[in-house]
Structure formats: structure tokens, C-alpha cells
């Protein structure tokens, strides 16, 4: 099939590349000229494991191409995927200006039947809005389908190639048939393609993300309570997670969820309820608790230094909002960096993939390390914000000789408290007793 993907971010580029990998001809369109030039030169503009191999292979095979020309993309594709940003607007709602802006142009340009697929995360009713926007200028037949994306950054290729489910919201038989044909190779393992109406599909996405954010937030509250009553959240987590109705995943407490989606999607669902006088009380609490969770570790760091961080050097391991990505959108590490700088501390930061993005934001306000131990040399404490695998089994002797004080503040509970006690390291983590 001939596919155009509009927007080549984490979702669009993975979608385009994986569709090409299954034999489709894909033209990716992006408004960002630099990005398109980079991709034309064979460079993947984001860090996403395994994407580079598929990317190169499909460019070489001539199935994956790039342009900045939207009209060229619309002429080319029978199916047009919209993988455009839907960032948080000032009032918490999803800003639809990118999606509706492109929809307007689609109406002006298309001259034959197209299936327009909304892959961006958009509020209930957006498929209708896209349809009416296109209709204003359109002289040909088209259908609008909602096809929310459930991939995770860091596992995006795997999630796209072997999805647990594909949700298609469509009221058109013709478009549904096209989408089923397109996705058939991705569900050969038997995972379902679930067909429903557009509104239900749109809400399935928000409900899924909000539920997962709620699950994490619930555990963060349990962790905070554990700390107060002397229980250990890791034990509680394992005890709970073995109940298959609860499940083991997404029960890991920390210093709050971040990323480009949970924070904005929970707020957007809450706001869309508010717009129709429905008060999502749970979601309001989730937002509030998560904001608080980001703040819980800083006072520990501060009080260790008698609330005087002026001139102290803090090493940070992990800057991305989670491991296996270079994405720092709403990363809890950024909150910690801001607070440390505000208190007059020097920050030496290391992350396996996200340093370039952090440099863009902070420039020379921070020092950056080439490896995880370099930043600990002469630092007064180590702070962990992201659970990259390489941090999991550190050389404790080297750490102790590098750090001025043997102290670790761990926002991700990487180490067994017993081990750290044995090592003689002062260790503060989340929902567990201090060592
Ligand atoms: N990042 C993720 O893991 C997931 C994101 N989503 C949703 O997918 C959507 C896209 O998210 P990301 O890929 O993370 O966004 P992104 O910000 O990484 O990428 C968006 C791309 O669209 C381009 N763009 C903006 N305006 C354009 C225009 N008029 N024409 C062509 N290109 C344009 C930008 O230059 C950028 O390359 C959002 O609605 C998000 O909520 C859904 C599932 C997972
Ligand atoms: O809509 C989206 O963008 C995507 O959002 C999330 O994916 P992602 O943001 O890439 O990452 P997650 O692995 O879900 O983690 C999100 C945040 O929650 C935190 N988290 C996750 C799991 C956990 O147990 N505890 C916890 O604090 C992570 O550290 C991270 O900050 C969802 O998992 C995807 O299904 C969805 O498609």
C-alpha cells in the first residue's frame, strides 16, 4: 500500500519505518527541514532502540522516503497517517492546532479517495472535527479513522511490530477494510484488531494512559506511606503484583511519572470532562500527587547538607524521563536540576542518551560527564533519577573513592538496602527505610 505519514517524531517515524518494513511504500512528511535533511542523509533523528536497522534497510530498498512537501505526501498516499503533536494547551486541554491545521490543507489538496488516520492522541470528537475541517474545502471522497497508538518510547519498534492490540475507530466499511488489510501482517500472532466507533477509540487511548498513570500514582502514595510507617514498598509491590488481577507491571514507585504523554494526557482527559461538567476526581488527584512526588527527594538532599547546598556538587545519573530514550520531556530529573541550581549547587550530569537534549536546555549551567563515574569524581553526593541498566550494578568501591561523602539519593529504588548498608553507603530511596 502507499502510505503518507505526516509528522516524523517518536510515533510518526516508527509508524512509517515499521509499515515500510512490512512491504508498504511510505513517504514521511515533516515541516522541520533540518530533520528531513537529516533523514534523507540516512540519519535517525531520535534515539530509539532497533529503529536504525529498519530505517537503513527500508531506505536502501526504496520503500521509505522523506519530504517537507505536504502536497507531495497527500498525492502519494492512499492512507494518510497524522502523527502530529497534541501538546498541552494553557488550560490543560490538548492543543489541536497541528492536527486541524494539516486537516485544513488536506481538504484543499486531495483529489482522490483517501483514508485519513488520526494516530495522534486526541480528545473525543476530534475525528468529527477533522472530518468537518476537511469537508470545508474538499471536492472528493475521504474517510477519517481513529487509530490511537500505544507504543512506549524505548520499546517503540517492538511495540509497533508486535502490538498487543490495534484499535480502529471507524464508521466506514471501506476505510475499516483498508485498515484491516494494512495491519494484517502485524497481528499474525493472534493479537486482536479491535474495531469500534471513533469516539470510543479516542477515549480508549486516554483511558489507557490515565489508568496507567493512576496505577503508578497509587503506588507512589503507598510508597510515601511505607516510609512513614516503616514498611518496605518493594516487598508490598511484590506481594500485590503476584495477584493476577493487579499484575506486576507499572507498580514501581519513583519520583513521579514524566514523559511527553502521561502528564499531558491525564490533564487533557480531566479538562475534557470539565468542559461538559463532568468532574474526574481521580484524575485531579493523580495530577496533584504526581506533582508532589517530583518534589519529595529534594528536601532529603537539602537536609543531608543542613539545608545549605551553596557550592556543593551533586552528581546526577539519568536525565531522560525513563531509560532507553533520549526524551527529556517532563523528566523528573529536570525538576531536581532546577531545585539544585536554585539552591546554589553545582550539578554534574550523566545520561547514556539524553545529554544533548539537556545541553540544549541548560547549556553551560551544568557540567556533563562522558561516563557515569566521571561525574562522581569529587562530587558531594550522587542522585539517581532514571533507572538505566548500566546504573544497576555499580562499582561501589570506585563510587566511594570518587564521592566526597558516601551518599546516594535514589529516585528509582535501584539497589537493595541491605547491600548498601553492607557497603557503608548512606542511602535514601523511595518508600523504603533510610540506610
Ligand atoms: N511519544 C510517544 O511515545 C507517543 C506519542 N503519542 C501521541 O502521538 C502524537 C505525536 O507524538 P510524538 O511522535 O511524540 O511527537 P513529536 O513531537 O516527537 O513529533 C511530532 C513531529 O511532527 C512534526 N510536525 C509538526 N507540525 C507539522 C506539520 N504541520 N506538518 C508536518 N509535520 C509537522 C514535528 O516537526 C515533529 O517532527 C501525540 O499526539 C502523542 O500524544 C502516542 C503514543 C506514544
Ligand atoms: O501515549 C504515549 O505516549 C505512551 O505513554 C506511555 O509510554 P511512555 O511514556 O513511553 O513510557 P512508560 O514506560 O509508560 O513510562 C511513563 C512514565 O511512568 C514512569 N513509570 C512507569 C512505570 C512504573 O512502574 N513506574 C513509573 O514511575 C516512567 O518512569 C515514566 O516517567 C504508555 O506506556 C504507552 O502505552 C503510550 O503509548
Amino acid at each position: 500500500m502507499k502510505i503518507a505519514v505526516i509528522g516524523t517524531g517518536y510515533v510518526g517515524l516508527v509508524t512509517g519505518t515499521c509499515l515500510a518494513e512490512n512491504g508498504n511504500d511510505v513517504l514521511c512528511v515533516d515541516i522541520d527541514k533540518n530533520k528531513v535533511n537529516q533523514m534523507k542523509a540516512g540519519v535517525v533523528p531520535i534515539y530509539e532502540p532497533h529503529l536504525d536497522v529498519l530505517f537503513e534497510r527500508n531506505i536502501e530498498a526504496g520503500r521509505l522516503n522523506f519530504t517537507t512537501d505536504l502536497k507531495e505526501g497527500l498525492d502519494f498516499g492512499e492512507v494518510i497517517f497524522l502523527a502530529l503533536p497534541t501538546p498541552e494547551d494553557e488550560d490543560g486541554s490538548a492543543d489541536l492546532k497541528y492536527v486541524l491545521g494539516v486537516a485544513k490543507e488536506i481538504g484543499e489538496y486531495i483529489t482522490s479517495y483517501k483514508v485519513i488516520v488520526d494516530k495522534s492522541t486526541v480528545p473525543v470528537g476530534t475525528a468529527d472535527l477533522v472530518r468537518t475541517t476537511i469537508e470545508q474545502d474538499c471536492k472528493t471522497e475521504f474517510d477519517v479513522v481513529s487509530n490511537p497508538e500505544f507504543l512506549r518510547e524505548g520499546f517503540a519498534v517492538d511495540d509497533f511490530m508486535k502490538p498487543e492490540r490495534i484499535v480502529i475507530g471507524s464508521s466506514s466499511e471501506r476505510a475499516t477494510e483498508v485498515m484491516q488489510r494494512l495491519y494484517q501482517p502485524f497481528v499474525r500472532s493472534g493479537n486482536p484488531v479491535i474495531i469500534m466507533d471513533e469516539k470510543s477509540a479516542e477515549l480508549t487511548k486516554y483511558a489507557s494512559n490515565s489508568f496507567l498513570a493512576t496505577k503508578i500514582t497509587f503506588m507512589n502514595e503507598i510508597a510515601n506511606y511505607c516510609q512513614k510507617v516503616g514498611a518496605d514498598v518493594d516487598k508490598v509491590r511484590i506481594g500485590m503484583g503476584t495477584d493476577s488481577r493487579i499484575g506486576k507491571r507499572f507498580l514501581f514507585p519513583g519520583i513521579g511519572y514524566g514523559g511527553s504523554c502521561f502528564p499531558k494526557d491525564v490533564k487533557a482527559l480531566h479538562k475534557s470532562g470539565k468542559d461538559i461538567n463532568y468532574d474526574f476526581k481521580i484524575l485531579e488527584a493523580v495530577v496533584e500527587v504526581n506533582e508532589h512526588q517530583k518534589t519529595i527527594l529534594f528536601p532529603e538532599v537539602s537536609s543531608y547538607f543542613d539545608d545549605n547546598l551553596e557550592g556543593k556538587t551533586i552528581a546526577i545519573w539519568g536525565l531522560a524521563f525513563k531509560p532507553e530514550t533520549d526524551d527529556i520531556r517532563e523528566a523528573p530529573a529536570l525538576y531536581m536540576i532546577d531545585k539544585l541550581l536554585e539552591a546554589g549547587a553545582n550539578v554534574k550530569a550523566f545520561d547514556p542518551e539524553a545529554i544533548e537534549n539537556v545541553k540544549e536546555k541548560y547549556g553551560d549551567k551544568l557540567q556533563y560527564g562522558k561516563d557515569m563515574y566521571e561525574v562522581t569524581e569529587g562530587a558531594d553526593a550522587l542522585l539517581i533519577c532514571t533507572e538505566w541498566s548500566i546504573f544497576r550494578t555499580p562499582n561501589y568501591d570506585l563510587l566511594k573513592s570518587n564521592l566526597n561523602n558516601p551518599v546516594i539519593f535514589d529516585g528509582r529504588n535501584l539497589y537493595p538496602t541491605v547491600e548498601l548498608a553492607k557497603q557503608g553507603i548512606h542511602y535514601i530511596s523511595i518508600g523504603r527505610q533510610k540506610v
Side-chain angles (χ1 to χ4, degrees):
M1 241 183 254
K2 285 180 150 190
I3 312 290
V5 180
I6 321 298
T8 58
Y10 289 87
V11 168
L13 189 55
V14 170
T15 302
T17 307
C18 293
L19 288 171
E21 178 70 10
N22 267 332
N24 297 289
D25 290 311
V26 179
L27 182 56
C28 292
V29 183
D30 205 288
I31 204 169
D32 183 336
K33 284 198 185 93
N34 287 338
K35 212 178 209 183
V36 170
N37 286 337
Q38 244 184 317
M39 293 188 290
K40 279 185 170 173
V43 178
V44 184
I46 50 169
Y47 172 76
E48 188 57 54
H50 315 304
L51 185 59
D52 51 351
V53 179
L54 272 63
F55 182 82
E56 272 170 39
R57 182 158 60 218
N58 286 285
I59 290 177
E60 232 162 69
R63 284 192 300 266
L64 183 60
N65 289 288
F66 309 95
T67 181
T68 50
D69 185 350
L70 178 63
K71 183 164 185 318
E72 188 189 344
L74 297 175
D75 285 342
F76 178 85
E78 310 160 55
V79 180
I80 315 290
F81 277 91
L82 306 184
L84 294 156
T86 48
E88 184 181 332
D89 214 338
E90 276 161 22
D91 60 1
S93 62
D95 186 349
L96 292 177
K97 69 168 177 268
Y98 301 96
V99 171
L100 296 181
V102 169
K104 182 88 178 75
E105 290 187 76
I106 291 174
E108 288 163 16
Y109 292 145
I110 57 171
T111 51
S112 59
Y113 176 76
K114 307 281 173 187
V115 179
I116 314 297
V117 184
D118 222 331
K119 213 166 211 357
S120 300
T121 302
V122 289
V124 172
T126 303
D128 289 343
L129 216 50
V130 168
R131 192 175 294 118
T132 50
T133 305
I134 296 175
E135 265 164 6
Q136 285 168 13
D137 301 295
C138 191
K139 295 177 186 66
T140 185
E141 267 186 285
F142 69 93
D143 280 306
V144 177
V145 167
S146 164
N147 169 220
E149 180 51 56
F150 299 97
L151 65 78
R152 294 159 298 164
E153 288 178 24
F155 300 91
V157 170
D158 242 31
D159 284 349
F160 197 95
M161 293 300 280
K162 290 176 248 156
E164 285 191 356
R165 86 295 210 184
I166 286 162
V167 170
I168 293 171
S170 171
S171 43
S172 149
E173 261 179 48
R174 185 177 180 184
T176 304
E177 188 276 321
V178 171
M179 295 303 287
Q180 278 177 313
R181 207 152 28 92
L182 183 64
Y183 277 121
Q184 189 274 333
F186 295 90
V187 290
R188 292 186 56 189
S189 58
N191 285 340
V193 175
I194 307 167
I195 314 283
M196 55 181 83
D197 61 278
E198 296 89 323
K199 285 183 178 164
S200 302
E202 288 163 341
L203 186 53
T204 300
K205 174 66 194 177
Y206 277 105
S208 302
N209 271 8
S210 299
F211 183 81
L212 291 170
T214 304
K215 192 172 177 186
I216 297 165
T217 303
F218 180 82
M219 280 316 282
N220 282 336
E221 290 235 84
I222 293 292
N224 297 344
Y225 184 71
C226 281
Q227 199 115 46
K228 289 200 184 303
V229 297
D232 181 328
V233 74
D234 267 354
K235 294 181 181 143
V236 177
R237 174 177 60 76
I238 292 163
M240 286 169 68
T242 39
D243 182 331
S244 63
R245 292 170 303 173
I246 296 173
K248 296 185 179 74
R249 302 174 71 185
F250 276 73
L251 290 181
F252 292 85
I255 44 173
Y257 61 73
S260 66
C261 292
F262 283 179
K264 78 171 171 62
D265 291 348
V266 174
K267 285 183 204 155
L269 182 55
H270 179 257
K271 174 67 170 71
S272 46
K274 210 164 156 193
D275 289 344
I276 54 160
N277 290 325
Y278 184 78
D279 188 9
F280 270 115
K281 291 195 176 64
I282 287 186
L283 298 185
E284 195 166 334
V286 169
V287 172
E288 202 181 303
V289 172
N290 196 57
E291 283 308 310
H292 172 71
Q293 199 68 17
K294 286 187 188 168
T295 70
I296 65 167
L297 206 49
F298 179 76
E300 298 285 355
V301 182
S302 183
S303 83
Y304 180 83
F305 294 102
D306 298 325
D307 291 326
N308 182 9
L309 282 161
E310 191 69 46
K312 294 279 181 279
T313 299
I314 310 297
I316 301 187
W317 283 359
L319 304 168
F321 81 93
K322 63 172 215 174
E324 296 300 335
T325 180
D326 59 353
D327 196 341
I328 59 163
R329 289 179 281 187
E330 302 262 345
L334 305 185
Y335 171 85
M336 292 302 292
I337 292 173
D338 289 341
K339 291 299 284 184
L340 289 167
L341 293 178
E342 210 178 285
N346 306 310
V347 175
K348 287 167 90 178
F350 173 74
D351 187 283
E353 294 295 337
I355 287 190
E356 285 312 312
N357 287 336
V358 174
K359 259 188 200 164
E360 251 175 55
K361 187 171 162 62
Y362 290 96
D364 57 12
K365 285 189 197 151
L366 313 184
Q367 289 170 260
Y368 305 94
K370 285 192 196 64
D371 78 69
M372 59 193 261
Y373 294 108
E374 187 189 325
V375 294
T376 62
E377 283 168 22
D380 295 295
L382 171 63
L383 167 66
I384 300 173
C385 293
T386 316
E387 66 279 30
W388 284 91
S389 303
I390 50 155
F391 304 151
R392 285 188 187 273
T393 330
N395 179 336
Y396 291 114
D397 290 335
L398 184 55
L399 264 186
K400 281 186 281 188
S401 81
N402 279 356
L403 290 169
N404 294 338
N405 312 289
V407 56
I408 300 178
F409 300 93
D410 181 359
R412 296 291 167 192
N413 286 4
L414 290 193
Y415 313 122
T417 48
V418 185
E419 173 65 23
L420 277 269
K422 224 186 323 171
Q423 292 289 342
I425 295 177
H426 191 78
Y427 182 54
I428 289 132
S429 54
I430 308 293
R432 303 184 299 177
Q433 295 317 291
K434 293 179 190 173
V435 173

